[in-house]
Amino acid sequence: MNMQCRTGKPTKCAFLGGPGTGKTTLIKQLDVDFSMAGYLSSSCMDFARSYIIRYGPPRTIFEQFLLYEGQKQSEAELSHCDIIFCDNATILNYVYGLLLCDFKSRQQVYALMKLYEWAMKDLPEYEIFYIPREFPLHNDGVIYQNEEMAAVVDQKIKSFLDMMNVPYTVITGDLASRIQQVKDKLGFVPRRECRIE
């Protein structure tokens, strides 16, 4: 894949996986590396994280619409960039909707169908990377899932990608390995030499 130049939309890279898989650390380092190499890049932090800090964990499927709109807006604010590294994506609101949906409620099933429709509409905008769980969950005070629930989220995300036949790249290993795998996939070519004086 060759990254688009500034004549078009930015390349949006979505890093998907359950909580505590190292997505945020990875995107922050990628942002630094790409910026130092001459790209106009930015990391787009997970809007759900700030929502949880402020209001607590989402308890209903309907809150996923607020999280969707917040994530969409966060990404739109970075539309001036060449490349955006997202530690979430709007398509995940459908996955979390699946976990929250009361399938006996027609209203909630309809809400889930809308989240699915929006996910499918947004899917082509992303270059997707999946990060499997390689280390135990570390609770940082914001992550509200336990180890068991985090594993369920991991599986739901991967199942969604596989069932919808979504192309994605699995990223594994230590931080340096993960960074190199992403750079290889994106066809990273420095635009300027990095000099530290």
Side-chain angles (χ1 to χ4, degrees):
M1 175 197 174
N2 291 322
M3 291 182 294
Q4 297 170 347
C5 61
R6 276 316 304 139
T7 55
K9 292 182 177 181
T11 298
K12 284 202 294 189
C13 299
F15 293 84
L16 307 184
T21 52
K23 301 182 297 294
T24 303
T25 302
L26 176 59
I27 70 164
K28 285 181 176 179
Q29 189 57 56
L30 284 165
D31 181 23
V32 169
D33 287 6
F34 275 73
S35 293
M36 300 270 294
Y39 291 88
L40 185 53
S41 75
S42 189
S43 51
C44 182
M45 305 315 291
D46 181 5
F47 176 79
R49 186 176 183 82
S50 55
Y51 181 91
I52 291 165
I53 290 169
R54 190 165 188 178
Y55 302 109
R59 288 174 172 59
T60 73
I61 190 172
F62 304 109
E63 285 176 278
Q64 292 304 315
F65 290 93
L66 298 173
L67 297 175
Y68 173 94
E69 291 296 341
Q71 184 68 27
K72 193 85 169 170
Q73 181 61 37
S74 296
E75 293 173 13
E77 288 169 3
L78 299 172
S79 63
H80 61 280
C81 293
D82 297 315
I83 185 163
I84 306 169
F85 299 105
C86 308
D87 73 348
N88 194 345
T90 55
I91 59 176
L92 283 190
N93 296 109
Y94 168 70
V95 175
Y96 282 100
L98 280 169
L99 295 169
L100 292 168
C101 185
D102 174 1
F103 287 93
K104 294 176 184 168
S105 163
R106 287 193 314 188
Q107 190 179 27
Q108 291 197 35
V109 170
Y110 178 75
L112 185 64
M113 287 167 47
K114 290 308 287 182
L115 288 170
Y116 173 79
E117 179 185 321
W118 291 2
M120 291 298 100
K121 176 176 56 81
D122 290 352
L123 204 47
E125 296 178 15
Y126 295 105
E127 178 72 29
I128 298 176
F129 297 90
Y130 175 74
I131 303 180
R133 186 163 305 281
E134 296 184 276
F135 351 91
L137 181 67
H138 169 70
N139 193 326
D140 63 358
V142 178
I143 294 173
Y144 62 93
Q145 294 103 336
N146 59 26
E147 191 86 40
E148 186 180 333
M149 184 60 179
V152 169
V153 172
D154 293 339
Q155 189 52 51
K156 288 279 186 195
I157 292 169
K158 188 160 188 324
S159 295
F160 168 72
L161 296 173
D162 291 338
M163 281 173 32
M164 297 299 116
N165 204 23
V166 175
Y168 63 93
T169 303
V170 178
I171 302 296
T172 59
D174 62 14
L175 183 58
S177 299
R178 290 177 174 192
I179 289 167
Q180 192 56 54
Q181 290 167 59
V182 174
K183 287 179 176 178
D184 290 346
K185 176 66 179 174
L186 294 176
F188 174 77
V189 177
R191 293 180 174 177
R192 68 168 178 240
E193 212 175 302
C194 173
R195 290 188 186 151
I196 300 174
E197 309 258 338

